[in-house]
Amino acid sequence: MDNQPLLISVIIPVYNGEKYLAEAIQNVKNQDYQQLEIIVIDDGSTDKTREIAAQFKDCIRYIYQQNSGPAAARNHGIKVANGDVIAFLDVDDLWSDDKLKLQADYLANNPSVEIVQGLIQNLKISHLTNDNIAIFEKEYYPYNYINLGSGLYRKLVFDKIGLFDESLRYAEDVDWFIRAWENSISKVVLEQVTLFYRKHQENMTVGKTLTELGFVRIFKKHLDRCRKKGTSPSSLLPGMPTINEYLGAPPNTPKIA
């Protein structure tokens, strides 16, 4: 085993995230892991995102692009990343303090594993302070799902199955993980919380139906690929995880039939 620590490229896509950006960057800096680069992809923000990013100019790479959506922002980050491993942090979410070390060590010790994830803890707004700062509290038990921020990804995986579909404004992560499953990308879920997913009214997916989020279109593409290959849309070879086992699910979410 190579004893050199893996270089992690942390990609933070942000659009008008002035309220959360400094906390997100500091959360990464506070990780118990030193071999990393932080890449902030500003997806055409019109607020003070640029000014806040400038406060961290000595420890981040800041890249501005015209507004093109989360998939394009993440793809931009992947293309310029120098790391062996990719991590994603949405600007309004947070990681556990040991997330990078825990998962990087696992990948280093298990070279056949291509994706390692942890559990997700939903947080909801409990109340606002007198300064209008949101205070969050836990919602539901920790769960296993394919929220990108919960995992680490060997960069070579993106060479194998491609980048995120930039035609999708929502659920590009679901589409990508379905493609990962179709290509038997090895994935392990550690039974420890690595991502704190903060739910609030500014979340992009608030109030959207499954159709609006593109799930019908994504699953249709999945069915078409399986028909073309002559494979089952729900299971691969014996002993391999079914698609539902691979994807997991947030609380109160129906499984894929």
Side-chain angles (χ1 to χ4, degrees):
M1 184 184 72
D2 188 351
N3 290 323
Q4 290 297 318
L6 297 169
L7 174 61
I8 301 175
S9 295
V10 177
I11 298 170
I12 304 177
V14 52
Y15 174 69
N16 289 345
E18 63 179 11
K19 185 186 298 185
Y20 300 103
L21 181 57
E23 187 178 12
I25 294 172
Q26 194 61 52
N27 180 237
V28 178
K29 290 181 62 181
N30 290 344
Q31 290 288 307
D32 185 21
Y33 197 85
Q34 303 302 315
Q35 291 294 107
L36 57 85
E37 64 173 355
I38 304 172
I39 305 170
V40 174
I41 305 294
D42 184 347
D43 190 36
S45 296
T46 57
D47 62 357
K48 295 181 179 179
T49 288
R50 183 190 294 270
E51 290 89 333
I52 293 170
Q55 299 172 15
F56 297 90
K57 63 182 179 180
D58 294 334
C59 61
I60 70 170
R61 295 169 64 190
Y62 170 82
I63 299 173
Y64 179 89
Q65 67 177 30
Q66 291 187 339
N67 182 251
S68 304
R74 293 190 181 103
N75 287 346
H76 196 160
I78 294 167
K79 291 172 184 176
V80 302
N82 295 312
D84 314 289
V85 175
I86 303 293
F88 301 99
L89 180 62
D90 284 353
V91 71
D92 51 352
D93 293 335
L94 295 171
W95 285 335
S96 62
D97 292 340
D98 61 348
K99 178 255 199 312
L100 292 184
K101 187 176 190 312
L102 174 72
Q103 295 181 326
D105 285 351
Y106 190 90
L107 288 180
N109 290 313
N110 297 274
S112 65
V113 175
E114 296 168 288
I115 301 172
V116 58
Q117 292 178 278
L119 301 181
I120 301 163
Q121 175 65 67
N122 278 9
L123 302 179
K124 65 178 181 179
I125 293 178
S126 168
H127 63 278
L128 299 176
T129 67
N130 293 334
D131 298 326
N132 206 37
I133 297 174
I135 303 301
F136 290 86
E137 65 180 6
K138 292 181 180 179
E139 180 183 37
Y140 305 118
Y141 291 105
Y143 61 93
N144 164 33
Y145 189 50
I146 52 172
N147 188 315
L148 287 167
S150 72
L152 280 188
Y153 311 81
R154 294 192 192 274
K155 194 177 183 184
L156 290 174
V157 173
F158 297 94
D159 295 330
K160 290 182 178 180
I161 66 171
L163 300 174
F164 298 103
D165 185 343
E166 295 184 15
S167 71
L168 298 171
R169 293 296 277 194
Y170 307 103
E172 72 283 352
D173 50 351
V174 177
D175 172 76
W176 188 86
F177 268 101
I178 289 175
R179 286 187 278 132
W181 176 82
E182 291 170 4
N183 288 276
S184 301
I185 298 298
S186 57
K187 181 172 80 76
V188 169
V189 179
L190 306 180
E191 293 295 316
Q192 293 167 263
V193 172
T194 57
L195 177 69
F196 295 96
Y197 174 49
R198 298 197 286 193
K199 300 178 68 176
H200 50 83
Q201 288 303 309
E202 296 168 19
N203 289 138
M204 285 183 62
T205 56
V206 167
K208 299 289 191 301
T209 66
L210 292 180
T211 300
E212 291 172 320
L213 292 172
F215 277 73
V216 174
R217 178 185 170 197
I218 288 168
F219 193 55
K220 173 65 164 56
K221 290 167 63 178
H222 165 58
L223 289 175
D224 289 344
R225 289 191 298 267
C226 288
R227 290 190 182 110
K228 186 175 181 179
K229 292 180 179 179
T231 57
S232 167
S234 59
S235 61
L236 294 170
L237 299 172
M240 296 290 289
T242 66
I243 191 168
N244 285 323
E245 291 170 339
Y246 195 88
L247 300 181
N252 303 321
T253 299
K255 299 285 189 177
I256 294 178

